[in-house]
């Protein structure tokens, strides 16, 4: 047998039942379409913040429904495939993977909508300087989504793992922006409203990165068949401690 | 605290490993080759069947899985032109050694076939047949005990207790198959070999047999050949995939059906290959 296992866990040769192949292809297309939408949601949301563009913000908020709808369709389609095809091995992983990825993409789009809602608030008040960090952070997160979607389409684990590692950069940017915003707020309490909105925006973008890494892990599972084992990169949930530390530093 | 990060923990740790602890090899095959005349039907197979587990053999028709199953209780002895080489053991004892009593061996390693094949005798006599020829019961009440317990273990007793004297062939297909299993366990085997035991049964009867297989595992070791991969996935702990006379892959059933290591296995179980 000459078939080669392709990256996405499928094999180059086709199923004996052709309709099954068509359905699996359709599933991949649905995920790609959903991914494109989610990516776009994040992009327009960040535009809305950077250009103080209310129209873009409203568009983002309204489009969120489309992604939700697609996720619902993916769910239904997967349930149908599971019931009717009784998938095994690579096919099974592909369907389970699609379910998980769809749910991550839906969350990513939600974060986009959240950012857009904050943008509407921010646009009503005076701009503050730290907003400069948002497009950089947003760009990183967007690239992560784009690359992870490419790696899904190509079944490229290396690329997926590369995305996984890049999340650290987004996290670091978030941390440093957090510090900067704290300083701003301490300098002038009138900045607190804007800074808080920005902080939430940054947090949402940071979460987008996390979901992109989830997708990268799912792709690893799809292709390789096992979970991605990794050393913990971060010490988590240091929010309170850091806040106190910074207080201590600045006093 | 310079490098402390602020992100919430994402719950993505916690690998699951469910490998059973100590396992004991009940039967083993080492470099087993089988020839039917000039046809090399089984090529250098090495495998272990663990005690109190269900081992499933899967693979396309003609892959050698039934051949291997039949070697496990020397059913191939009866096929003319069939030659077996290599070593096969039960509890470490060579089952092809000269001093093995084949009749006794087949009592220790029972077999259930694709089509239910009760003897044209009463239900009682079907089950009593083995214990009688092997002299397992000294008295009538001993024999009754064996027959009833065996029927009980297969869940058949409730259904047939009032008609033990009726012909076994009068039962439904699923009941007949359970009768055959009762007949096999009446001689207290160590291993039960099953060759497509459900392929002639409807889904409900199949489910009963599968449930029975799971219960029997506690006291016996089971090897099952099946074309139904979902069945292999449902009933077995380990699965062996055969192709063109070779053992391609053998692993935990869960592993084989979620992430087979071999591309032939993957092709076969996902329906790309047959």
């Amino acid at each position: 047998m000459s078939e080669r296992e392709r990256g996405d866990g499928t094999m180059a040769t086709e199923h004996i039942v052709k309709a099954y192949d068509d359905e699996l292809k359709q599933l991949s297309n649905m995920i790609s379409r959903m991914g494109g939408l989610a990516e776009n949601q994040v992009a327009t949301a960040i535009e809305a913040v950077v250009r103080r563009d209310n129209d873009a913000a409203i568009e983002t908020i309204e489009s969120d429904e489309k992604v939700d709808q697609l996720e619902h369709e993916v769910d239904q389609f997967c349930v149908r495939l599971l019931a009717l095809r009784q998938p095994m091995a690579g096919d099974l992983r592909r369907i389970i993977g699609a379910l998980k990825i769809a749910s991550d993409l839906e969350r990513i789009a939600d974060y986009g909508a959240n950012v857009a809602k904050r943008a509407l608030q921010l646009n009503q008040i005076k701009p503050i300087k730290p907003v400069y960090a948002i497009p950089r952070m947003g760009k990183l997160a967007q690239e992560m989504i784009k690359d992870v979607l490419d790696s899904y389409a190509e079944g490229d684990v290396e690329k997926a793992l590369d995305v996984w590692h890049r999340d650290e950069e987004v996290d670091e940017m978030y941390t440093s922006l957090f510090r900067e915003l704290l300083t701003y707020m301490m300098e002038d309490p009138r900045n607190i409203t804007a800074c808080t909105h920005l902080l939430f925006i940054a947090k949402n973008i940071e979460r987008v990165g996390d979901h992109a890494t989830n997708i990268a892990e799912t792709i690893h599972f799809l292709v390789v068949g096992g979970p991605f084992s990794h050393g913990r990169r971060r010490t988590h949930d240091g929010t309170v401690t850091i806040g106190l530390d910074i207080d201590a530093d600045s006093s | 605290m310079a490098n402390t990060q602020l992100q919430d923990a994402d719950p993505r740790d916690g690998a699951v490993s469910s490998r059973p602890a100590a396992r004991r090899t009940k039967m083993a095959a080492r470099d087993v080759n089988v020839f039917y005349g000039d046809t090399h039907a089984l090529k250098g197979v090495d495998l272990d069947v663990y005690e109190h587990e269900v081992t499933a053999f899967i693979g396309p028709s003609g892959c050698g899985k039934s051949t291997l199953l039949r070697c496990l209780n020397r059913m191939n002895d009866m096929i003319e032109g069939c030659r077996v080489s290599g070593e096969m053991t039960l509890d470490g004892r060579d089952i092809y050694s000269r001093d093995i009593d084949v009749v006794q061996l087949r009592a220790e390693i029972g077999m259930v076939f694709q089509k239910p094949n009760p003897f044209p005798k009463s239900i009682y006599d079907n089950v009593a047949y083995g214990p009688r020829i092997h002299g397992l019961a000294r008295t009538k009440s001993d024999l009754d005990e064996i027959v009833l317990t065996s029927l009980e273990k297969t869940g058949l007793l409730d259904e047939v207790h009032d008609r033990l004297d009726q012909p076994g062939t009068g039962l439904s297909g699923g009941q007949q198959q359970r009768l055959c299993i009762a007949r096999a366990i009446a001689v207290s085997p160590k291993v039960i070999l099953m060759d497509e035991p459900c392929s002639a049964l409807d889904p409900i009867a199949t489910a009963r047999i599968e449930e029975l297989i799971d219960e029997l595992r506690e006291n016996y070791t089971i090897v099952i050949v099946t074309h139904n991969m979902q069945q292999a996935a449902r009933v077995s702990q380990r699965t062996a995939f055969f192709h063109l006379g070779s053992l391609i892959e053998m692993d935990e059933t869960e592993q084989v059906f979620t992430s087979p290591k071999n591309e032939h296995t993957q092709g076969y179980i996902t329906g790309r290959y047959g």
Side-chain angles (χ1 to χ4, degrees), chain A:
Chain A
M1 200 167 35
S2 64
E3 62 260 52
R4 169 182 56 90
E5 186 157 349
R6 257 186 19 214
D8 55 356
T10 65
M11 300 182 96
T13 44
E14 298 184 332
H15 284 94
I16 296 162
V17 180
K18 293 244 166 32
Y20 190 6
D21 279 325
D22 295 340
E23 285 163 347
L24 288 174
K25 240 172 262 162
Q26 194 184 334
L27 182 61
S28 296
N29 290 342
M30 285 166 98
I31 294 292
S32 298
R33 209 162 79 230
M34 209 182 151
L37 275 179
E39 191 184 338
N40 194 47
Q41 286 292 87
V42 175
T44 50
I46 287 165
E47 283 287 308
V49 178
V50 177
R51 300 196 179 165
R52 300 174 69 81
D53 181 344
N54 280 342
D55 290 343
I58 291 166
E59 187 198 317
T60 312
I61 296 165
E62 285 174 353
S63 311
D64 187 41
E65 205 178 304
K66 275 191 251 168
V67 183
D68 292 354
Q69 177 59 30
L70 257 177
E71 190 207 8
H72 184 62
E73 284 170 27
V74 169
D75 282 359
Q76 278 187 321
F77 196 61
C78 288
V79 167
R80 183 169 161 261
L81 282 176
L82 288 169
L84 301 186
R85 300 291 182 200
Q86 282 123 40
M88 293 282 196
D91 298 333
L92 178 61
R93 300 201 303 269
R94 196 166 162 186
I95 292 167
I96 297 298
L99 271 175
K100 296 181 72 167
I101 291 173
S103 124
D104 281 319
L105 289 173
E106 191 273 333
R107 289 302 293 155
I108 287 176
D110 277 352
Y111 290 124
N114 288 352
V115 170
K117 284 176 200 159
R118 297 277 172 188
L120 287 178
Q121 300 294 317
L122 266 185
N123 291 351
Q124 290 172 18
I125 49 183
K126 200 162 67 79
I128 51 165
K129 197 187 142 225
V131 86
Y132 76 94
I134 298 297
R136 266 176 56 208
M137 212 179 147
K139 188 157 176 273
L140 274 179
Q142 279 175 58
E143 278 169 1
M144 285 175 71
I145 307 174
K146 182 181 169 297
D147 289 349
V148 88
L149 288 171
D150 286 350
S151 81
Y152 173 75
E154 294 155 17
D156 184 341
V157 197
E158 289 308 313
K159 199 173 203 170
L161 293 185
D162 178 54
V163 171
W164 193 89
H165 286 291
R166 268 149 56 193
D167 186 43
E168 201 160 358
E169 211 176 321
V170 179
D171 293 350
E172 276 163 10
M173 285 185 79
Y174 171 72
T175 307
S176 81
L177 182 63
F178 173 77
R179 289 163 188 280
E180 194 175 342
L181 287 170
L182 273 188
T183 318
Y184 257 71
M185 290 191 265
M186 284 185 282
E187 264 173 27
D188 185 348
R190 280 171 300 178
N191 286 333
I192 287 178
T193 309
C195 285
T196 308
H197 284 310
L198 265 192
L199 183 60
F200 274 107
I201 288 172
K203 181 70 190 171
N204 278 308
I205 298 173
E206 187 271 321
R207 291 297 293 154
V208 167
D210 287 346
H211 283 275
T213 62
N214 281 355
I215 296 176
E217 287 173 19
T218 302
I219 292 168
H220 182 276
F221 164 75
L222 275 183
V223 177
V224 179
F228 174 47
S229 57
H230 50 83
R232 296 303 299 232
R233 279 176 301 140
R234 334 173 190 137
T235 48
H236 281 295
D237 214 15
T239 314
V240 176
T241 339
I242 281 211
L244 291 175
D245 263 8
I246 285 181
D247 274 348
D249 289 346
S250 61
S251 59

Side-chain angles (χ1 to χ4, degrees), chain B residues 202-239:
Chain B
D202 73 24
I204 302 293
T206 298
R208 288 229 172 84
I209 301 281
E210 289 180 3
E211 168 65 14
L212 176 58
I213 289 172
D214 199 48
E215 286 167 12
L216 293 176
R217 179 161 79 86
E218 202 176 310
N219 296 309
Y220 310 94
T221 300
I222 296 167
V223 183
I224 179 171
V225 162
T226 176
H227 272 136
N228 180 336
M229 282 176 290
Q230 267 79 28
Q231 179 168 67
R234 286 190 299 260
V235 304
S236 72
Q237 282 69 53
R238 296 215 310 153
T239 297

Side-chain angles (χ1 to χ4, degrees), chain B residues 83-96:
Chain B
R83 204 151 46 77
V84 180
S85 72
E87 191 188 51
M88 287 206 154
T89 58
L90 169 67
D91 290 327
R93 181 165 51 107
D94 182 4
I95 61 171
Y96 280 85

Side-chain angles (χ1 to χ4, degrees), chain B residues 234-268:
Chain B
R234 286 190 299 260
V235 304
S236 72
Q237 282 69 53
R238 296 215 310 153
T239 297
F241 171 65
F242 292 86
H243 181 55
L244 298 174
S246 299
L247 173 60
I248 304 293
E249 178 167 357
M250 183 169 194
D251 208 333
E252 306 301 316
T253 295
E254 192 186 312
Q255 176 75 29
V256 171
F257 287 103
T258 57
S259 317
K261 295 192 179 76
N262 188 284
E263 64 176 26
H264 293 245
T265 318
Q266 161 96 358
Y268 180 70

